[in-house]
Amino acid sequence: MHRVSAWACTNRLVLSQEATSEKTNEITAIPKLLELLELRGCLVTIDAMGCQTAIAAQIVAQGADDVLGLKGNQSTLQEAVEDDWTVAQQADFAHVQADFTEELDKDHGRVEVRRDWITEDLRTLPDPARWVGLRSIGMVERTCVSDGKESLERRDFISSIAPDAARFAHAVREHWGVENRLHWRLDVIFGDDASRIRKGQAPAIMTSVRHLSMNLFDQEGSAISLAKKRRKAAWNDDDRAKVVFG
């Protein structure tokens, strides 16, 4: 069973989840998940699997903005966006007005440079009117140097936000933060992937319990790791009550 989760980056809370029997069914699960949420004024980011015209239209209809990743599922659009950025870079952005920001991270001998561009220039896109609310396209270029080896990664996006590179970069960075703040912790600390629970609704129920538990632990204010909080709550009734009741 696969599960699609709605994660609130700022508050670090799992807001809801929708279960699917197959990975490809995420396309049908995402609209159901969005319907459960009050999105007005929010910025919704979704992996390339959710880059669908109907999903983009639903997000806008619910009063939110979107930043949607592009991959092979929208190959024609992706190729057009890639070509736009390639031509723009080769011409040093002489004919394209784009907002730009750059960030440098250093950690444990690893150096990462992130460059983010976003523009409202949609002239060469194939039928942009299909995408309700489409206002801009963005690109993230990440150069990483580790152990003397350099790697380069580029990712493309479509969006309904104004061409503000700082906001765009923050949205993309926070989106991928879900891997460490949600998925990694569910797997490593709560043993989600290793769970042998398989029958009926039990897997979905237990995932909800883990999500709820993680939300409660995150709202508990002590400055210790999640793993230590779990152990303290298991060993001591007062610590457990503090987590559950605040």
Side-chain angles (χ1 to χ4, degrees):
M1 176 179 289
H2 298 279
R3 291 169 293 274
V4 182
S5 300
W7 170 257
C9 296
T10 301
N11 296 318
R12 298 183 66 171
L13 291 172
V14 182
L15 301 179
S16 188
Q17 69 177 31
E18 186 71 29
T20 69
S21 58
E22 299 291 341
K23 185 74 173 176
T24 54
N25 288 347
E26 285 186 11
I27 295 175
T28 58
I30 290 172
K32 297 177 183 178
L33 185 61
L34 292 173
E35 288 176 0
L36 301 175
L37 306 174
E38 173 53 62
L39 297 179
R40 188 165 301 279
C42 295
L43 177 57
V44 179
T45 65
I46 307 179
D47 290 343
M49 178 72 75
C51 187
Q52 306 289 330
T53 55
I55 292 175
Q58 181 178 349
I59 292 171
V60 173
Q62 290 186 230
D65 282 311
D66 58 49
V67 173
L68 307 177
L70 276 174
K71 279 189 178 179
N73 60 323
Q74 298 290 345
S75 57
T76 302
L77 179 59
Q78 182 191 17
E79 290 173 7
V81 172
E82 285 182 349
D83 288 344
D84 276 2
W85 289 119
T86 299
V87 172
Q89 284 182 311
Q90 290 173 348
D92 198 22
F93 293 89
H95 307 292
V96 176
Q97 185 175 356
D99 199 30
F100 170 75
T101 187
E102 180 176 295
E103 299 171 285
L104 173 65
D105 290 326
K106 296 181 180 180
D107 186 28
H108 302 294
R110 178 174 172 271
V111 179
E112 179 178 296
V113 179
R114 291 172 54 93
R115 301 179 181 90
D116 301 82
W117 291 267
I118 186 169
T119 181
E120 286 183 308
D121 192 337
L122 310 178
R123 290 173 294 176
T124 63
L125 298 190
D127 196 12
R130 293 176 57 237
W131 298 87
V132 175
L134 177 60
R135 182 173 178 180
S136 57
I137 58 174
M139 180 181 71
V140 177
E141 185 176 88
R142 185 171 70 96
T143 304
C144 182
V145 179
S146 181
D147 296 327
K149 298 180 180 179
E150 181 174 316
S151 61
L152 175 66
E153 178 186 12
R154 285 178 52 170
R155 297 201 302 269
D156 299 297
F157 300 83
I158 61 173
S159 175
S160 66
I161 66 173
D164 180 338
R167 187 185 184 200
F168 168 64
H170 178 74
V172 173
R173 185 174 60 251
E174 287 295 292
H175 175 83
W176 291 110
V178 72
E179 294 297 331
N180 292 328
R181 296 172 185 169
L182 175 60
H183 296 154
W184 184 88
R185 296 198 300 169
L186 281 175
D187 182 21
V188 175
I189 298 176
F190 284 89
D192 192 40
D193 287 351
S195 174
R196 304 307 299 169
I197 298 173
R198 294 288 185 270
K199 295 184 67 176
Q201 299 298 316
I205 292 170
M206 283 307 303
T207 297
S208 295
V209 170
R210 295 185 189 104
H211 282 166
L212 176 60
S213 299
M214 192 165 66
N215 284 350
L216 290 171
F217 281 120
D218 278 344
Q219 299 308 299
E220 195 274 321
S222 59
I224 59 175
S225 69
L226 176 59
K228 289 182 179 179
K229 288 183 181 182
R230 289 189 70 207
R231 288 197 293 271
K232 288 183 66 177
W235 295 337
N236 186 282
D237 291 342
D238 291 337
D239 286 323
R240 183 165 57 253
K242 182 181 178 182
V243 170
V244 174
F245 301 109

